[in-house]
Amino acid sequence: MLKRESVDPDQLSRLVEAIAASQDRAAFAALFEQMGPRVKTYLMRSGTAPEVAEEIAQETMLVVWRKASYFDAARAGAATWIFTIARNLRIDWQRRNQRSEPMSPGAEEEADLSPTPEESVLASFREARVRAALGELSEEQATIVRLSFFAEKPHGEIARELGLPLGTVKSRVRLALARLRRILDEAP
């Protein structure tokens, strides 16, 4: 198995800066030789088909050639900058191709809309945090938040149900949400 040489970040920065300064073709060739295969591998590991990864990798290097003057070594390393360009081009490619593919009849119902395990865990964690924060509100604020957000009742209906003026309900909702935000922001 061949082991690739590691990339010298300073050398990559110098190559990009040479391209920016004088459109140095030799610097671009050296940069392309070092980064082209790495970008393609990165794209393939992110689930892109090999032929598409090749195309996006080439487009990435073309963007590097055209926009080398935008590179700022103080903000990020050259490799990070190049991989960010590749990632953005991959996202653009995916968006273009999702829009252009017509959906078959019934495909919308077939799409798996169930949350991933990670999303489920995060949602239950957020829910637990919100419920704990609700416990820190006064009873009148907690009641209004539950009616407004969990029961999805309009403010006017809440006002009639609780026998309160509409302005009072709106104020309590606003104050309760501000307090919830502070509580949640302070939570670890």
Side-chain angles (χ1 to χ4, degrees):
M1 184 167 127
L2 291 172
K3 184 176 178 183
R4 272 196 186 184
E5 295 178 30
S6 63
V7 177
D8 177 10
D10 292 332
Q11 180 189 17
L12 289 180
S13 292
R14 284 191 300 273
L15 292 172
V16 174
E17 289 164 355
I19 295 166
S22 62
Q23 292 192 326
D24 185 330
R25 291 179 185 266
F28 181 72
L31 185 67
F32 194 99
E33 184 180 320
Q34 288 186 32
M35 292 304 297
R38 285 177 172 80
V39 169
K40 180 180 176 185
T41 300
Y42 160 74
L43 292 165
M44 288 175 21
R45 285 184 180 164
S46 67
T48 307
E51 58 279 355
V52 175
E54 177 74 30
E55 184 179 325
I56 295 173
Q58 289 180 8
E59 189 176 345
T60 298
M61 297 310 293
L62 185 60
V63 169
V64 168
W65 172 259
R66 282 188 269 150
K67 300 199 175 194
S69 63
Y70 290 96
F71 172 67
D72 181 0
R75 291 184 64 202
T80 302
W81 182 68
I82 293 168
F83 284 121
T84 301
I85 292 169
R87 187 199 82 219
N88 292 341
L89 289 172
R90 177 180 51 86
I91 291 169
D92 290 346
W93 183 89
Q94 288 173 330
R95 286 181 183 153
R96 269 193 316 270
N97 288 307
Q98 284 175 346
R99 276 193 227 125
S100 65
E101 294 175 12
M103 291 194 84
S104 61
E108 209 172 294
E109 293 85 27
E110 294 173 17
D112 183 16
L113 300 177
S114 59
T116 65
E118 180 180 282
E119 291 169 335
S120 296
V121 168
L122 288 173
S124 64
F125 176 70
R126 280 192 299 265
E127 183 180 335
R129 285 183 62 205
V130 169
R131 289 192 187 282
L134 274 172
E136 294 185 36
L137 295 178
S138 69
E139 187 55 42
E140 59 189 23
Q141 285 181 331
T143 299
I144 286 181
V145 168
R146 284 188 189 99
L147 290 172
S148 182
F149 292 97
F150 297 117
E152 297 182 4
K153 292 186 178 186
H155 293 163
E157 189 177 327
I158 295 169
R160 281 190 299 282
E161 188 176 315
L162 298 177
L164 296 169
L166 180 59
T168 301
V169 170
K170 289 183 177 189
S171 293
R172 286 184 183 171
V173 167
R174 189 179 66 251
L175 291 170
L177 291 177
R179 179 124 193 270
L180 275 175
R181 192 173 296 116
R182 280 193 306 275
I183 293 167
L184 292 171
D185 286 346
E186 292 170 1

